[in-house]
């Protein structure tokens, strides 16, 4: 029961903390919430690795968004649209909805061995689908764009929290059995 509450409460805290922060502080607040809520599971090295991996994926996501957005704009022109979606919207949906969450989990799996990318791929893909569908709905109904960051953080936090609570608990039980 505590695990389920933690899986739900942590993403809500992440989203609530977004309301009052600067764009460049978003990963810091996200990492602080995740780390503070998982002090039992994280040691100091894991927490530092999580902060570094999160900022690396955040910066890479921005670079990929800029690259893909500019590349699509050059190839397809600024006026290109699919329904209501402009080329900038399409690149945003593609990068934020698909590439960014995959990049986040992959880079974190490189820095934190207990977050295995390929073992959790099904959960990650479900999260990617949810984020992508939510972003399409947000753009279809012209909802404020800050809402997309909140959706992204909420879904990624749920998946990450689930992975942490399952993998880190199993890892500490295995360490206790060995000693």
């Amino acid at each position: 029961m505590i695990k389920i509450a933690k899986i739900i409460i942590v993403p809500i805290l992440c989203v609530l903390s977004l309301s009052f922060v600067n764009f460049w502080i978003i990963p810091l607040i996200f990492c602080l919430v995740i780390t503070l809520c998982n002090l039992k599971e994280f040691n100091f090295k894991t927490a530092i690795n999580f902060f570094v991996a999160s900022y690396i994926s955040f910066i890479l996501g921005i670079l990929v968004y800029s690259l893909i957005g500019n590349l699509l704009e050059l190839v397809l022109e600024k006026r290109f649209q699919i329904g209501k979606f402009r080329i900038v919207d399409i690149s945003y949906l593609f990068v934020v909805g698909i590439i960014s969450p995959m990049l986040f989990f992959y880079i974190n799996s490189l820095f934190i061995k207990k977050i295995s990318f390929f073992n959790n791929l099904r959960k990650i893909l479900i999260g990617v689908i949810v984020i992508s569908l939510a972003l399409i709905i947000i753009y279809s109904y012209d909802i404020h764009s800050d809402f997309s960051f909140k959706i992204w953080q909420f879904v990624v936090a749920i998946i990450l929290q689930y992975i942490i609570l399952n993998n880190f608990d199993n890892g500490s039980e295995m360490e206790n059995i060995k000693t």
Side-chain angles (χ1 to χ4, degrees):
M1 188 60 143
I2 293 174
K3 274 188 180 183
I4 294 171
K6 222 174 179 183
I7 290 172
I8 295 169
I9 291 171
V10 171
I12 292 171
L13 290 174
C14 286
V15 170
L16 290 176
S17 67
L18 274 180
S19 301
F20 308 104
V21 296
N22 182 322
F23 179 74
W24 294 101
I25 299 176
I26 289 173
L28 176 66
I29 300 298
F30 179 76
C31 291
L32 280 173
V33 170
I34 297 289
T35 303
L36 290 175
C37 292
N38 292 299
L39 284 175
K40 195 178 202 181
E41 289 82 7
F42 279 17
N43 58 28
F44 183 74
K45 183 181 176 187
T46 304
I48 295 298
N49 286 342
F50 179 60
F51 276 89
V52 170
S54 296
Y55 260 100
I56 288 172
S57 66
F58 181 70
I59 291 169
L60 282 176
I62 291 170
L63 290 174
V64 168
Y65 172 63
S66 299
L67 179 73
I68 288 177
N70 289 331
L71 190 67
L72 286 174
E73 222 173 284
L74 286 173
V75 173
L76 300 174
E77 299 179 12
K78 289 182 181 182
R79 297 178 307 238
F80 180 79
Q81 286 187 304
I82 297 177
K84 292 170 60 174
F85 298 115
R86 298 169 299 144
I87 192 65
V88 176
D89 300 334
I90 295 167
S91 65
Y92 182 79
L93 290 171
F94 182 69
V95 173
V96 174
I98 298 170
I99 293 175
S100 182
M102 300 289 277
L103 193 62
F104 174 82
F105 284 107
Y106 182 72
I107 291 174
N108 271 291
S109 72
L110 295 176
F111 280 80
I112 305 168
K113 298 301 177 203
K114 290 184 180 181
I115 300 177
S116 172
F117 181 77
F118 295 106
N119 290 344
N120 295 301
L121 192 57
R122 183 178 42 193
K123 295 172 204 110
I124 295 167
L125 289 175
I126 290 170
V128 165
I129 291 168
V130 169
I131 292 170
S132 298
L133 291 175
L135 291 177
I136 289 170
I137 291 169
I138 287 169
Y139 270 93
S140 297
Y141 292 104
D142 292 327
I143 298 173
H144 195 268
S145 64
D146 288 345
F147 195 66
S148 59
F149 285 113
K150 292 177 182 179
I151 292 289
W152 190 94
Q153 280 212 345
F154 185 80
V155 174
V156 168
I158 283 178
I159 296 165
L160 182 62
Q161 196 61 26
Y162 182 77
I163 291 170
I164 288 170
L165 291 177
N166 285 329
N167 293 357
F168 282 67
D169 281 350
N170 293 341
S172 49
E173 287 174 12
M174 294 302 281
E175 289 171 10
N176 291 338
I177 292 171
K178 290 179 184 177
T179 56

